[in-house]
Amino acid sequence: GGGGGALVGAVGHEMFFTVTAASNSSGTRHPVAIRAFELPQGATLSNVREPPGMNTRSVDVRWMPGENEIGARALCLHAVDETGLSSSQECVLLIVPPVAPPPRITTPLPGAVLSFYMRQSHAVVVRAESPNPYEAMELTVSTLLEHGQTFAADMLEEGRGREG
């Protein structure tokens, strides 16, 4: 009984959780299967197990949502006992939020700090534009880079050259 709650995932990252069915309080009905109704595309139920003496059955649910699966969907499951009777259906809400656009600062203040998490990106492009030819921009890394990340500040000046 009771609601299954909600799980929040991310596009391109596997969601993994375990569902367990237990026998009723009198112990007369024992779960022999857990079944899902309308699994999301690509989702799987695997590793069915029944620990000895526990009167439970568990199954792992795995799903990697794609970009076309943004939003919320209910995954509903029920247990079946040895006589073929089904339990009540329990549902969990699977939520896949939209992929956030890259951060954008249109008017940074001098000394501004920009921090962000790069989930799948491999490079950051910083573009500075100003009508004032004497403005300067400096990029530095304020925290340690991890896992082989590197930082290079390639300064490229575009526009009209000044005669000396």
Side-chain angles (χ1 to χ4, degrees):
L7 296 172
V8 179
V11 170
H13 293 271
E14 182 179 73
M15 295 179 77
F16 173 83
F17 56 97
T18 301
V19 175
T20 301
S23 62
N24 60 10
S25 57
S26 64
T28 57
R29 295 178 62 195
H30 303 291
V32 296
I34 297 175
R35 298 200 174 121
F37 181 71
E38 291 189 27
L39 282 172
Q41 185 173 352
T44 61
L45 300 179
S46 62
N47 193 24
V48 178
R49 55 206 179 276
E50 183 176 4
M54 297 291 291
N55 293 330
T56 63
R57 183 164 294 258
S58 297
V59 64
D60 294 337
V61 180
R62 293 178 181 273
W63 179 48
M64 185 177 308
E67 289 184 18
N68 58 340
E69 294 163 312
I70 290 170
R73 64 188 30 79
L75 172 61
C76 299
L77 304 112
H78 64 272
V80 178
D81 71 8
E82 62 274 358
T83 65
L85 292 175
S86 293
S87 69
S88 60
Q89 183 172 262
E90 295 289 340
C91 298
V92 61
L93 189 62
L94 304 177
I95 301 169
V96 181
V99 177
R104 181 182 176 118
I105 297 177
T106 54
T107 53
L109 299 172
V113 174
L114 171 65
S115 63
F116 53 92
Y117 176 69
M118 293 174 58
R119 184 183 303 264
Q120 292 179 331
S121 300
H122 300 288
V124 176
V125 176
V126 177
R127 186 171 142 195
E129 297 174 336
S130 174
N132 181 348
Y134 299 105
E135 275 189 343
M137 180 180 72
E138 179 183 356
L139 298 176
T140 58
V141 175
S142 60
T143 59
L144 294 175
L145 297 172
E146 297 178 5
H147 306 294
Q149 297 173 341
T150 60
F151 174 77
D154 296 327
M155 299 299 181
L156 175 65
E157 291 185 24
E158 295 180 5
R160 289 182 233 147
R162 289 185 295 180
E163 293 184 22

